[in-house]
Amino acid sequence: MSVPPGIIGPVDVLTERPREKRRRRITSVEVLCVVLLAAILGQSWLQDVLDVPGLRTGSTIFVAVCVQALPFLVLGVLISGAIAAFVPARVLRRALPRRTAAAVGVAGLAGVALPGCECASVPVARRLMGQGVAPAAALTFLLAAPAVNPVVLVATAVAFPGRPEMVLARFLGSLATAVVMGLLWARWGKLDWIVARALERLPDAGGGRWKAFAEIARTDLVEAGGFLVLGAFISATLNVLVPQSWFAVLGGQLVLGVAVLAVLAVVLALCSEADAFVAASLTALPLLPKLVFLVVGPAIDVKLFALQAGTFGRSFAVRFAPVTFVVAVCCALVVGTLLVGGAR
């Protein structure tokens, strides 16, 4: 078949249309390879440029936070991916009592046995609602799963060696936050605030569960790993650029320290498997503001607000998120005052 005049390039024999040239897309893996190659080739030059005490200190803190937190992060996303792919939501629904108040308590404790990251808990909560679980219980599980599971508690114990009270305080503060929010929703929450699609019954996943597991784990690891790197970078920057006298003043002003770290937990949006190492790196601050940071972060942050708005609707998120923030701060302060006080 001849090529019509004015058309450049090969022609598809079936459609008689010119074939479009496939554009080669540059992926993030190729960019990473180029950066690593450039770093290897220019290693001696980089050593001369970066031979600054402040940069050495910052890089040491950055690497330490990432290396300590990464194993727990990987374990957490593997467990959450396995739960999302292999454990049907109806199992949880059948295990919950019919009474809403009792269901809220059981859903909170279920977070101990069924760990998951913040990102995974939102679609799981939606799936529970779609299978008939009371929204109060589903939201309780949403808040409890990423905060009171064994992976997070072990990571907290490693980040705060010799401080078992911090592990207990985080567990109690986070569990209290989840249960209180569940009870508040049961009393004053309205289904009208949740978009209709979030309450629709969702079909159980069919075949390809291993593929779903791999995809969920990969997605969670990439996203959570990005937040971990960001948090480690900010932690290193704070330790190097911010004068220690500022942290000393912040440590002396307990109320200001609590307020700053509560807001910082929302802005940093760290994964719950990694936030303890970032909090522990702020050595000039007492334990109470750090506890507030650890309780608030898994309950509400900027990425969780976006996920909740996209899943349950903006009307839900603008009501649920601010109340969660206040409840988390209050629960952390009450538990922290009783268990850690003003210790450092």
Side-chain angles (χ1 to χ4, degrees):
M1 182 177 294
S2 61
V3 179
I7 296 180
I8 301 176
V11 178
D12 192 294
V13 295
L14 296 178
T15 61
E16 297 188 2
R17 294 178 181 177
R19 296 174 183 173
E20 296 181 358
K21 295 182 179 180
R22 295 181 180 179
R23 295 182 178 180
R24 182 73 169 85
R25 296 184 62 183
I26 299 177
T27 64
S28 58
V29 176
E30 294 170 336
V31 174
L32 177 61
C33 292
V34 172
V35 172
L36 291 177
L37 180 61
I40 293 173
L41 296 177
Q43 183 177 5
S44 58
W45 178 77
L46 289 175
Q47 287 178 348
D48 295 336
V49 173
L50 301 179
D51 190 17
V52 179
L55 290 177
R56 291 200 302 268
T57 302
S59 61
T60 301
I61 296 174
F62 174 82
V63 172
V65 172
C66 290
V67 170
Q68 283 183 311
L70 190 58
F72 298 100
L73 181 62
V74 172
L75 179 60
V77 298
L78 289 178
I79 294 176
S80 64
I83 291 172
F86 299 110
V87 180
R90 61 177 178 272
V91 174
L92 287 177
R93 178 170 58 86
R94 292 173 180 174
L96 293 176
R98 293 186 177 182
R99 291 182 54 190
T100 301
V104 166
V106 173
L109 294 175
V112 178
L114 297 175
C117 68
E118 298 92 325
C119 303
S121 64
V122 175
V124 170
R126 177 193 175 185
R127 191 172 181 83
L128 289 172
M129 292 183 188
Q131 293 195 356
V133 173
L139 294 175
T140 301
F141 180 80
L142 183 152
L143 296 175
V148 301
N149 66 74
V151 177
V152 171
L153 297 180
V154 171
T156 305
V158 173
F160 293 91
R163 291 288 187 178
E165 66 273 16
M166 276 295 290
V167 181
L168 179 60
R170 180 174 194 178
F171 172 80
L172 295 177
S174 298
L175 181 61
T177 300
V179 172
V180 169
M181 286 302 301
L183 294 176
L184 289 177
W185 178 269
R187 178 63 180 85
W188 287 287
K190 297 180 180 180
L191 290 179
D192 295 342
W193 298 341
I194 302 178
V195 294
R197 67 176 183 274
L199 300 176
E200 294 176 354
R201 183 176 179 84
L202 301 175
D204 292 332
R209 293 185 182 274
W210 281 105
K211 183 178 180 180
F213 162 73
E215 182 62 23
I216 293 170
R218 184 192 64 81
T219 302
D220 286 349
L221 181 60
V222 171
E223 182 174 355
F227 288 113
L228 169 61
V229 171
L230 175 62
F233 175 77
I234 294 177
S235 176
T237 303
L238 290 175
N239 278 275
V240 172
L241 298 183
V242 178
Q244 291 298 317
S245 58
W246 290 20
F247 282 108
V249 173
L250 196 62
Q253 301 291 331
L254 194 59
V255 176
L256 182 60
V258 167
V260 170
L261 284 195
V263 174
L264 197 62
V266 176
V267 175
L268 288 184
L270 297 176
C271 184
S272 57
E273 287 92 354
D275 57 2
F277 298 96
V278 176
S281 67
L282 304 175
T283 55
L285 297 177
L287 293 181
L288 186 57
K290 295 179 183 179
L291 177 63
V292 172
F293 179 85
L294 297 179
V295 173
V296 171
I300 182 62
D301 56 35
V302 290
K303 74 175 186 300
L304 277 175
F305 178 82
L307 286 170
Q308 291 172 7
T311 303
F312 302 113
R314 183 178 178 183
S315 181
F316 168 86
V318 296
R319 291 175 171 85
F320 190 76
V323 178
T324 302
F325 178 82
V326 174
V327 170
V329 172
C330 293
C331 289
L333 289 176
V334 172
V335 174
T337 301
L338 296 176
L339 295 180
V340 302
R344 293 183 179 273

